[in-house]
């Protein structure tokens, strides 16, 4: 039966991920009260559904499905069974909806009509989680998704479809040994599955906000720390309108100060394994229960307030405007906004390793508003509009008209990973490879208007008249097919509104959308071994080689040296990037850098080839290659085949295994007997994710055909 209280907290629509911000270094002080009297159970809240299972073997919040890359028999998911349960809060009676002593059950969500439950289930003897529904009386179990993938963390959408996270994206965490999931969507029966994102890292816990948008946790590390950016984002249920909700400006769990520095290699406090790093290294989303007030924008630290000092809570779920169900260990609690708690239920008969997870109230609730679809699958591209590139929180000293172009880059996912480090891709720099798509013009008023390929993780570098970097984007944007989206400026505060004084419209909008202009003289992926080392050999080794090493710097090809993991980098690469200031890449550190502090403008290396350094001059094509290598992250190797002790000629067996699993390489492929092209194989892998419109003719955008 529905009542006013039920409608009240149904309208709050707070997502569980919005309430749990683990290790928030930007959050306010805890406000726990020591009152003996706990919160009152809201009227109309009589029953709860929850799951039980053991914690998995891995300590990272995102690592709870699939297998470890080094051995498919070593599972990341929890084993030992579990169940789905209905609890009567008034009587304490517990009813089993589903039990599986060898399987796994997780992520229940109750339907709007409170008649059925959607959840993720790994049956006994199976390796993968799939989406299922069951009636709240325990009948009518129905499987919705299948295949060699893990489908987890579902959410009912107001139009009847389902959003969820899935490993169908065929990619791995590029700083650990486990696969990842990103947001997907399907029909009510599990059909018509498609990705909502292109993220090269991880996305979790989608939930619907009262206005119909999806709120979710997005992890990314585009040329910045892999540890610190697990924050809240929103998107429309069709994947359009992606926007940061809270926290992406502020690192979580790693402070700005250095612990030590050796040349260009920096080490920070709170590296992996530190107990304070709740955001990155805690099992099953454990952390602080935190309330966020979004009215001051996503970058305001006081807007996030911890309501309890304990950091081992999980799965907060609103049941009133200021009251939440929360799990802790084997217990279910009620917590209010003052941090007071009341124990509602405790597991007693289950095995000691079994924990209580994901409590959800059984209540009828109103559907959120349905946001009309803004994507058109017949398009291969989307359109971006930038109002003024010089407007931003960290653009001091950038003059109007100084920026002439945007360099368009693509963050590329990895097909496998088997270390906690860079594994031959860099040395304390980028973890992922970057594709250089080309440039688009910026008008004198700072505006830009251009088409870009859909469903790709794009980011930009603002370039001056000499094609040198002025400011670097350290996040990414995904365009849905046919989507048009815009931003106010470059790194602008998210509460800033567009402004264009003196003009009736942006100059860039007075013409058709630009097409990305490829850089003819520069490879799409600049590889230090293949493209930069030959330039050093031609122009630098005479003074920085085995016979003569001026400044104790050798830039000859030398030998291969292990980087973090089993990957190998040239000794010349290590010598160059360890040299303080010679290469200004992301340094596995924080974003929001001052202008001209990263890439080609921030790197001393660029000044070595303009004639001022012992009359050394390189060709314009060589200079463009070096410049783009710096702006694209200064990678040591240009192929993921070089990770885990592999090379472009002889990749790691793990690379071969996963590329075979994805269908990129034939099942019988043997690199010892057959020709192998690592670069072509990588390209085929990335292209397998590209959005391809149906066979019907693709609609034109403006006066141009799609890319």
């Amino acid at each position: 039966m529905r009542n006013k209280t039920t409608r009240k907290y149904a309208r709050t629509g707070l997502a569980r991920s919005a309430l749990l911000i683990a290790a928030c270094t930007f959050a306010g002080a805890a406000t726990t009260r020591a009152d003996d009297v706990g919160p009152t159970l809201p009227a109309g809240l009589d029953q709860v559904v929850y799951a039980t299972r053991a914690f998995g073997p891995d300590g990272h919040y995102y690592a709870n499905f699939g297998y470890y890359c080094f051995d498919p028999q070593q599972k990341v998911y929890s084993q030992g069974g579990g169940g789905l349960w209905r609890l009567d809060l008034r009587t304490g009676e517990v009813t089993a909806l589903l039990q599986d002593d060898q399987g796994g059950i997780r992520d229940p969500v109750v339907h709007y009509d409170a008649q059925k439950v959607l959840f993720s289930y790994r049956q006994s003897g199976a390796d993968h989680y799939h989406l299922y529904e069951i009636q709240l009386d325990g009948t009518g179990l129905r499987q919705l998704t299948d295949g060699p993938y893990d489908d987890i963390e579902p959410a009912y959408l107001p139009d009847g479809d389902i959003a969820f996270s899935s490993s169908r994206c065929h990619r791995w965490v590029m700083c650990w040994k486990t696969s990842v999931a990103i947001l997907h969507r399907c029909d009510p029966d599990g059909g018509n599955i498609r990705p909502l994102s292109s993220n090269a890292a991880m996305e979790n816990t989608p939930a619907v906000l009262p206005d119909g948008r999806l709120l979710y946790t997005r992890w990314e590390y585009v040329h910045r720390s892999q540890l610190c950016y697990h924050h809240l984002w929103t998107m429309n249920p069709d994947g359009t309108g992606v926007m940061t909700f809270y926290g992406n400006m502020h690192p979580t769990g790693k402070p700005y100060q250095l612990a030590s520095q050796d040349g260009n290699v920096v080490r920070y406090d709170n590296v992996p394994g530190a107990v304070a790093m709740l955001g990155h290294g805690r099992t099953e989303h454990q952390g602080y229960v935190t309330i966020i007030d979004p009215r001051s924008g996503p970058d305001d630290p006081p807007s996030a307030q911890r309501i309890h000092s304990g950091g081992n809570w999980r799965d907060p779920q609103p049941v009133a405007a200021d009251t939440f169900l929360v799990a802790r260990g084997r217990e279910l609690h009620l917590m209010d906004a003052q941090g007071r708690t009341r124990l509602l239920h405790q597991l007693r008969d289950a095995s000691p390793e079994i924990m209580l997870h994901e409590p959800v109230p059984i209540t009828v609730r109103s559907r959120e508003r349905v946001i009309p679809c803004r994507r058109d699958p017949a398009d291969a591209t989307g359109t971006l509009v930038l109002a003024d590139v010089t407007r931003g929180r960290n653009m001091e000293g950038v003059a109007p008209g100084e920026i002439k172009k945007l360099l368009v880059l693509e963050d590329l996912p990895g097909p496998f990973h088997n270390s906690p480090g860079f594994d031959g891709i860099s040395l304390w720099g980028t973890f992922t490879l970057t594709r250089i798509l080309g440039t688009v013009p910026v008008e004198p008023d700072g505006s830009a208007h251009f088409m870009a390929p859909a469903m790709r993780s794009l980011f930009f570098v603002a370039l001056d008249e000499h094609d040198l970097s002025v400011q670097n984007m350290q996040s990414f944007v995904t365009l849905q097919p046919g989507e048009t989206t815009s931003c106010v400026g470059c790194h602008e505060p998210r509460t800033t509104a567009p402004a264009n004084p003196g003009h009736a419209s942006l100059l860039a909008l007075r013409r058709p959308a630009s097409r990305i202009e490829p850089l003819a003289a520069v490879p799409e992926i600049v590889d230090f071994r293949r493209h930069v080392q030959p330039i050093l050999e031609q122009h630098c080794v005479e003074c920085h080689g085995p016979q003569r090493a001026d400044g104790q710097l050798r830039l000859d090809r030398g030998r291969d040296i292990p980087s973090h993991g089993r990957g190998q980098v040239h000794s010349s690469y290590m010598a160059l990037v360890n040299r303080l200031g010679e290469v200004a890449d992301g340094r596995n550190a924080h974003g929001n850098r001052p202008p001209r502090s990263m890439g080609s403008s921030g790197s001393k290396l660029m000044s070595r080839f303009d004639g001022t350094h012992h009359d050394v001059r390189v060709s314009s094509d060589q200079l463009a290659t070096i410049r783009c290598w710096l702006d694209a992250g200064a990678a040591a190797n240009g192929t993921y085949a070089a990770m885990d002790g592999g090379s472009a000629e002889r990749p790691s067996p793990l690379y071969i295994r996963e590329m075979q699993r994805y269908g990129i390489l034939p099942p019988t492929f043997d690199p010892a007997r057959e020709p192998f092209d690592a670069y072509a194989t990588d390209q085929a892998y990335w292209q397998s994710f590209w959005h391809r419109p149906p066979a019907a003719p693709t609609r034109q955008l403006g006066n141009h055909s799609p890319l």
Side-chain angles (χ1 to χ4, degrees), residues 519-523 526 531-532 535 538-539 606 617-629:
L519 303 179
V522 178
V526 184
H531 306 123
V532 177
I535 299 174
Q538 180 180 350
H539 296 282
M606 283 300 297
R617 293 184 183 273
V618 301
S619 70
S620 59
D621 288 354
Q622 290 176 325
L623 191 64
T625 296
I626 294 170
R627 183 180 69 243
C628 289
W629 175 68

Side-chain angles (χ1 to χ4, degrees), residues 51-63:
T52 57
R53 63 184 179 277
F55 287 156
D58 200 293
H60 297 88
Y61 82 91
Y62 54 83

Side-chain angles (χ1 to χ4, degrees), residues 2 9 26-27 40 91 94 147 200 245 399 428 442 452 482 527 552 616 624:
R2 193 168 182 190
Y9 63 76
F26 47 83
T40 302
T91 67
V94 178
F245 184 82
W428 289 100
V442 173
D527 185 325
Q552 297 182 333
V616 174

Side-chain angles (χ1 to χ4, degrees), residues 84-263:
L84 185 67
W85 310 85
R86 188 179 74 240
L87 167 66
D88 190 311
L89 293 171
R90 305 297 177 179
T91 67
E93 180 183 2
V94 178
T95 302
L97 302 181
L98 180 65
Q99 287 182 271
D100 191 327
D101 292 338
Q102 299 298 320
I105 297 172
R106 51 179 293 174
D107 312 320
V109 57
V110 174
H111 191 266
Y112 293 98
D113 62 12
Q115 297 298 309
K116 59 185 178 181
V117 181
L118 173 67
F119 61 101
S120 187
Y121 176 29
R122 181 183 55 79
Q123 291 190 1
S124 296
D127 289 329
H128 300 288
Y129 284 95
H130 298 302
L131 302 187
Y132 286 76
E133 281 183 327
I134 194 170
Q135 299 298 309
L136 276 165
D137 62 2
T139 64
L141 180 66
R142 181 171 72 127
Q143 182 173 348
L144 303 182
T145 62
D146 58 14
Y149 318 102
D150 289 280
D151 302 321
I152 60 173
E153 298 173 341
Y156 283 116
L157 297 176
D159 66 357
D161 283 1
I162 296 168
F164 61 101
S165 295
S166 179
S167 66
R168 297 168 187 268
C169 56
H170 288 167
R171 60 201 63 179
W172 291 72
V173 174
M174 295 306 289
C175 59
W176 193 227
K177 308 172 184 181
T178 56
S179 57
V180 300
I182 62 174
L183 292 190
H184 286 66
R185 175 179 172 142
C186 68
D187 293 342
D189 62 359
N192 192 27
I193 296 173
R194 67 171 182 83
L196 294 176
S197 173
S198 61
N199 196 344
M202 184 82 176
E203 291 162 343
N204 296 91
T205 58
V208 184
L209 289 169
D211 62 7
R213 291 178 299 162
L214 277 175
L215 178 72
Y216 62 100
T217 302
R218 167 165 141 172
W219 179 21
E220 60 174 32
Y221 40 94
V222 180
H223 297 181
R224 58 178 176 171
S225 169
Q226 89 278 21
L227 303 175
C228 302
Y229 296 91
H230 314 256
H231 293 124
L232 293 176
W233 290 71
T234 62
M235 66 168 61
N236 296 328
D238 65 350
T240 63
V242 175
M243 181 69 66
T244 180
F245 184 82
Y246 191 80
N248 193 49
M249 173 181 170
H250 298 284
T252 300
K254 190 166 76 171
Y256 282 94
Q257 66 267 21
L258 302 181
S260 64
Q261 181 167 344
D262 180 12

Side-chain angles (χ1 to χ4, degrees), residues 271-590:
V271 294
V275 69
M277 288 205 59
L278 307 186
H280 186 81
R282 288 293 295 274
T283 300
E284 291 281 4
H285 304 273
Q286 290 188 112
Y288 298 107
V289 179
T290 301
I291 293 179
I292 292 172
D293 183 346
R295 290 175 294 182
S296 297
D299 303 330
D300 181 52
S303 294
Q305 291 292 322
R306 296 178 187 172
I307 62 175
H308 194 284
S309 60
N312 58 348
W313 298 100
R314 291 177 284 106
D315 309 321
Q317 178 72 28
V319 294
D322 60 353
T323 311
F324 323 102
L325 295 174
V326 287
R328 182 176 66 182
R330 295 163 60 85
E331 301 171 347
L332 170 63
H333 289 257
L334 194 67
M335 181 182 293
D336 65 16
Q338 288 72 48
R340 300 179 304 175
T341 64
R342 169 172 290 180
L343 178 64
L344 299 179
H345 180 65
Q346 186 173 15
L347 302 183
R348 299 189 183 279
D349 298 329
S351 301
E353 70 275 8
I354 298 296
M355 302 294 164
L356 188 150
H357 299 266
E358 299 114 13
V360 184
I362 302 175
T363 56
V364 176
R365 55 194 175 96
S366 301
R367 292 176 186 259
E368 303 82 6
R369 76 181 181 102
V370 176
I371 299 175
C373 182
R374 292 171 47 200
R375 72 188 299 272
D376 182 354
D379 278 331
T381 66
T383 303
L384 275 163
V385 178
L386 170 64
D388 183 358
V389 72
T390 63
R391 297 193 71 194
R393 69 170 73 90
N394 213 341
M395 296 294 286
E396 294 82 1
V398 180
E402 182 177 352
I403 295 171
K404 306 299 185 182
K405 302 175 186 175
L406 295 179
L407 179 65
V408 183
L409 304 171
E410 180 183 358
D411 190 37
L412 297 169
F416 84 111
H417 205 267
N418 195 39
S419 90
F422 328 98
D423 208 6
I425 299 303
S426 75
L427 186 72
W428 289 100
T430 182
F431 284 75
T432 56
L433 296 177
T434 297
R435 174 186 279 117
I436 300 166
L437 300 187
T439 62
V440 294
V442 173
E443 301 298 334
D445 66 348
S447 63
H449 176 208
F450 60 98
M451 294 185 300
M455 300 307 296
R456 314 265 277 276
S457 295
L458 305 178
F459 61 109
F460 314 108
V461 179
L463 304 178
D464 65 14
E465 62 182 336
H466 304 295
D467 289 340
L468 296 175
S469 60
V470 177
Q471 188 56 278
N472 296 62
M473 181 176 175
Q474 292 178 272
S475 183
F476 73 91
V477 62
T478 300
L479 290 168
Q480 293 291 321
E483 178 184 6
T484 296
T485 192
S486 62
C487 54
V488 173
C490 184
H491 296 193
E492 81 281 0
R494 294 299 185 249
T495 54
T496 301
N500 192 33
H503 300 286
S505 64
L506 301 176
L507 294 179
L509 290 179
R510 300 179 188 179
R511 56 169 174 76
S514 302
R515 296 171 64 89
I516 298 173
E517 185 68 32
L519 303 179
V522 178
E524 280 192 343
I525 299 172
V526 184
D527 185 325
F528 180 87
R529 287 177 183 266
R530 294 200 299 167
H531 306 123
V532 177
Q533 182 64 45
I535 299 174
L536 301 181
E537 296 279 354
Q538 180 180 350
H539 296 282
C540 306
V541 169
E542 181 180 351
C543 298
H544 299 284
Q547 306 303 321
R548 174 182 170 184
D550 288 3
Q552 297 182 333
L553 176 65
R554 285 185 54 175
L555 296 178
D556 55 304
R557 194 174 301 271
R559 65 193 189 283
D560 278 352
I561 297 176
S563 73
H564 209 177
R566 297 180 60 215
Q568 304 281 312
V569 302
H570 270 345
S571 57
S572 55
Y573 176 87
M574 180 173 287
L576 192 62
V577 301
N578 277 352
R579 200 82 166 185
L580 185 60
E582 206 67 39
V583 173
D585 58 9
R587 286 294 88 194
N588 191 30
H590 301 307

